[in-house]
Amino acid sequence: MGKQLYNMATEKPDRMDKEHMLQLKSIFLAPYMQLATGLIGKQRRAGGNMFRHQLDTMSILIDYGYIDSVLLKASCIHDTVEDIPGFDQNLIRTADEEGEEVLKLVLEVTKAEGQDKADYLRGIIDHGSYRAKLLKCADRISNMISLGFVTDSKFIERYCDETEYFIFPIALEIDYNMYQELIDLVRTRRKYLEDSGFYDKK
């Protein structure tokens, strides 16, 4: 089967119009936010916690003009299955009438236990749905912004390499503005490594 082609988004809205406001108003996110609070105790390397990261990922999607109920609901809880031990997937399935579809998307962007990270990301590149690729790009933008508060140079370099190799192709396929933001985020992190003398020490 040939690779599916998507219509790349090339214009980022300056502000939310009334139509999208009403669309967002009709989306009931509270049950998913409640599930996401299970991540409050999960600390992040750059500070904060995983609950905040879920909502940050959702806000990035809205910032880029994506008001899709399944996508936004999944973004609220995209790390629950992977990061909450013994998480009951039925809590997503029964959250509302879109629960099954939301769970399917969450599982698409969930790395299986013991799965190689490169294989996981290649799977999204080769087989990911449009929503999964959007969610992964927003997730990575959030992570790259947080990387600005990380001082582990080897980790920063590895994460930048991973972003260039795996996430750039996804973003270039689906949303040119996300691609441009990711390029800029990688560039600033590489500049930090250069200014700190990291590359000179290698």
Side-chain angles (χ1 to χ4, degrees):
M1 180 181 292
K3 191 170 185 179
Q4 184 173 355
L5 297 177
Y6 303 115
N7 292 322
M8 181 191 294
T10 56
E11 293 186 8
K12 186 174 180 293
D14 292 327
R15 60 190 298 272
M16 183 182 293
D17 60 25
K18 185 173 182 179
E19 179 184 352
H20 286 98
M21 180 276 290
L22 293 173
Q23 189 177 343
L24 182 61
K25 181 182 177 181
S26 69
I27 300 174
F28 294 98
L29 293 168
Y32 295 93
M33 288 186 180
Q34 182 183 34
L35 293 178
T37 59
L39 291 163
I40 287 175
K42 296 285 183 179
Q43 299 302 305
R44 303 198 79 205
R45 192 168 192 148
N49 60 44
M50 290 300 292
F51 170 72
R52 297 179 192 177
H53 167 61
Q54 311 304 291
L55 300 191
D56 187 40
T57 301
M58 180 181 69
S59 74
I60 289 168
L61 288 165
I62 295 173
D63 181 29
Y64 276 95
Y66 296 104
I67 312 295
D68 173 287
S69 60
V70 171
L71 178 62
L72 296 184
K73 289 172 182 179
S75 69
C76 275
I77 55 168
H78 70 273
D79 286 315
T80 52
V81 173
E82 187 172 338
D83 287 348
I84 299 178
F87 181 80
D88 183 1
Q89 296 181 18
N90 282 319
L91 294 174
I92 301 175
R93 188 176 284 113
T94 59
D96 66 6
E97 69 280 356
E98 291 185 315
E100 285 281 3
E101 206 172 351
V102 173
L103 177 60
K104 181 180 178 181
L105 179 52
V106 169
L107 294 178
E108 257 197 282
V109 296
T110 297
K111 187 171 76 70
E113 187 175 353
Q115 184 179 18
D116 179 76
K117 184 74 173 290
D119 287 342
Y120 156 71
L121 291 171
R122 284 192 200 99
I124 293 178
I125 291 172
D126 294 336
H127 309 295
S129 66
Y130 179 66
R131 282 170 170 162
K133 290 180 178 182
L134 279 174
L135 180 48
K136 179 48 64 178
C137 286
D139 173 51
R140 183 54 62 112
I141 288 171
S142 173
N143 287 333
M144 287 298 299
I145 291 170
S146 297
L147 201 61
F149 299 95
V150 174
T151 57
D152 182 339
S153 296
K154 289 184 178 179
F155 178 82
I156 294 170
E157 183 189 41
R158 185 168 66 250
Y159 210 74
C160 285
D161 288 345
E162 182 182 281
T163 301
E164 289 181 340
Y165 191 79
F166 295 107
I167 309 301
F168 278 9
I170 297 173
L172 186 57
E173 180 185 354
I174 60 164
D175 192 305
Y176 187 72
N177 288 295
M178 283 186 167
Y179 173 63
Q180 291 286 78
E181 181 171 3
L182 284 163
I183 287 176
D184 192 55
L185 287 167
V186 169
R187 179 187 60 77
T188 58
R189 292 298 82 212
R190 296 280 193 203
K191 184 67 165 54
Y192 165 78
L193 294 176
E194 181 181 338
D195 291 346
S196 67
F198 173 72
Y199 291 125
D200 295 335
K201 300 169 188 174
K202 292 183 69 177

